[in-house]
Amino acid sequence: MPQLDRIILFPQIFWLFIVFVSFYIVLTHFFLPRFLKILKSRKSIIDLNDSKIIKIRDQFIKSEQQLNQILVNDLLVIRKIFNSNPTFEVFYLKNSETKKVDETLSKALKNSVLFCNFQILDLIEIRCKLANNVKLDN
């Protein structure tokens, strides 16, 4: 069989070895450094982005805490104003007067919810009859 002939087998193994060694040298000296450089640059970009994200998140959390503290302080000031001023106290009014105020407020709230809901109003199609029957004069 010609595939197993000893005369032909040695040159095939020799050229196989030469081709693979040359391929290995080209890959390790030319392509692999470029590939590793790209991977390192991507990793550094990812690390930089992660540090920026952490910094922005910390600033956001800090500003959120400051805003919450400001809101709590302002609500305490408003509560003190309402508690100190007798004109804002509703508890000293007669029950019939507060009941009328409550009914009026509830009716106003109900009407505003029912008739001023923009999502519902946007669903209502309004068609103008004049716009459909317009005749253009030449």
Side-chain angles (χ1 to χ4, degrees):
M1 290 184 3
Q3 295 90 356
L4 302 176
D5 190 14
R6 291 183 180 185
I7 299 173
I8 297 175
L9 188 64
F10 180 71
Q12 287 178 353
I13 291 174
F14 174 76
W15 285 111
L16 179 73
F17 180 75
I18 295 295
V19 167
F20 278 114
V21 166
S22 63
F23 184 67
Y24 177 77
I25 290 171
V26 167
L27 278 178
T28 56
H29 289 288
F30 295 109
F31 293 108
L32 188 62
R34 288 183 184 174
F35 182 71
L36 290 175
K37 185 178 178 182
I38 290 171
L39 287 178
K40 285 180 182 180
S41 67
R42 286 182 178 183
K43 182 166 177 40
S44 67
I45 290 172
I46 289 172
D47 291 340
L48 181 67
N49 285 341
D50 285 343
S51 66
K52 285 184 180 181
I53 287 172
I54 290 170
K55 183 179 177 182
I56 290 172
R57 187 184 67 213
D58 290 342
Q59 288 176 351
F60 175 75
I61 290 172
K62 183 179 177 182
S63 64
E64 186 179 20
Q65 288 173 348
Q66 288 175 348
L67 180 65
N68 284 337
Q69 186 63 34
I70 290 170
L71 285 175
V72 167
N73 291 339
D74 288 344
L75 286 174
L76 288 174
V77 169
I78 291 171
R79 182 181 289 170
K80 286 179 186 177
I81 290 172
F82 277 122
N83 288 338
S84 65
N85 196 345
T87 58
F88 293 122
E89 293 180 9
V90 181
F91 299 111
Y92 293 119
L93 297 175
K94 295 179 183 175
N95 286 337
S96 62
E97 292 177 4
T98 58
K99 188 175 180 181
K100 291 178 186 178
V101 171
D102 288 341
E103 287 176 0
T104 307
L105 286 174
S106 66
K107 285 180 185 178
L109 183 63
K110 179 182 175 185
N111 289 334
S112 68
V113 168
L114 289 177
F115 301 115
C116 294
N117 191 343
F118 290 113
Q119 291 176 345
I120 294 173
L121 289 176
D122 288 340
L123 293 175
I124 298 172
E125 292 184 20
I126 299 175
R127 297 183 183 156
C128 183
K129 291 182 181 181
L130 293 177
N132 292 335
N133 298 327
V134 172
K135 295 181 182 179
L136 298 173
D137 294 329
N138 291 334

